[in-house]
Amino acid sequence: MNKANRAISQISTWLQHHGLAIAPEKTESIVMVGRRALLDIRFEVNGIEVKPTRRLKYLGIWLDHRRSFKVHIEEVSRKCTKVAGCLSRLMENIQEPSPSRRRLLATVVESIALYATPVWTRALNSARTRSILDQVQRKMALRVCSGYRTIAADAAFVIASVPPLSIKAEERVHRHNGMETTEAQNKLLD
């Protein structure tokens, strides 16, 4: 805590020297300690005390003190559920629009859910987080295939020709790690 406070003081001094300033009222902190208990840690920014939180949003990614990214999956699924609800109203279950247009609208939810995948992909090791993503995607898959809510998620994914988000996330990680797009897509299909 003392080292961090000294570093914050040095950064603040450097910023002031260059005509910039830290906004302490907007400053947030998080201490990533895993399962260990957090002690009474406080940081000081320009004389204002900043207490670490258990979770915070940084560049669109939810960070939690355990580094599990389960909070990120939960928050993103809430956002995707809202977007999926709005898009579902555009896609009545009968007639219009065509399946290709429905699939295009479904990719909006996919893009939101898979934002910054290489950062949080290890959260998919948990069956619970995979099921959270599948629940979100199921709603859109049902709309793409004009299916009823009694259709199972896996069946809806197959009928709608939409791979589960957990598998799609693995594809994005492979592409991020330098794999060619076609090779990553073939791996996804396997």
Side-chain angles (χ1 to χ4, degrees):
M1 183 171 74
N2 291 334
K3 284 182 181 180
N5 283 329
R6 280 194 302 271
I8 291 169
S9 176
Q10 288 174 348
I11 292 168
S12 181
T13 304
W14 185 89
L15 287 171
Q16 286 175 352
H17 179 70
H18 288 85
L20 301 169
I22 295 176
E25 62 278 356
K26 294 182 180 179
T27 303
E28 295 180 295
S29 68
I30 186 169
V31 178
M32 297 184 179
V33 292
R35 294 184 180 247
R36 289 179 281 169
L38 284 175
L39 301 174
D40 188 32
I41 297 175
R42 297 169 196 279
F43 301 110
E44 193 174 303
V45 179
N46 294 344
I48 296 177
E49 193 174 272
V50 176
K51 189 171 181 177
T53 59
R54 293 187 166 271
R55 60 189 221 163
L56 63 86
K57 188 175 183 179
Y58 182 70
L59 297 176
I61 299 172
W62 283 91
L63 304 170
D64 61 297
H65 73 284
R66 291 188 173 176
R67 300 180 304 245
S68 67
F69 291 102
K70 288 180 183 175
V71 171
H72 176 75
I73 300 288
E74 291 166 356
E75 292 295 330
V76 165
S77 70
R78 279 192 201 105
K79 183 177 181 179
C80 287
T81 300
K82 288 179 186 176
V83 171
C86 293
L87 290 175
S88 293
R89 287 187 209 96
L90 295 174
M91 298 183 283
E92 292 296 326
N93 236 7
I94 337 172
Q95 297 175 348
E96 315 234 344
S98 68
S100 60
R101 288 185 181 160
R102 290 172 179 266
R103 201 169 294 114
L104 178 66
L105 290 172
T107 59
V108 172
V109 172
E110 182 180 295
S111 296
I112 293 169
L114 296 178
Y115 173 74
T117 303
V119 174
W120 56 262
T121 192
R122 69 185 176 114
L124 294 175
N125 294 339
S126 164
R128 181 176 171 267
T129 56
R130 283 194 309 272
S131 70
I132 290 172
L133 285 178
D134 287 347
Q135 289 171 5
V136 170
Q137 190 183 21
R138 180 179 175 271
K139 186 171 192 172
M140 291 310 298
L142 289 174
R143 289 298 184 187
V144 169
C145 69
S146 297
Y148 293 104
R149 61 187 173 139
T150 55
I151 297 175
D154 291 336
F157 297 155
V158 170
I159 295 168
S161 300
V162 176
L165 286 174
S166 55
I167 295 173
K168 194 78 171 158
E170 289 176 29
E171 178 206 3
R172 288 221 177 156
V173 170
H174 290 308
R175 286 186 10 221
H176 176 75
N177 291 337
M179 190 180 285
E180 292 292 325
T181 304
T182 53
E183 186 180 351
Q185 289 173 345
N186 289 337
K187 195 167 187 162
L188 170 113
L189 292 174
D190 288 344

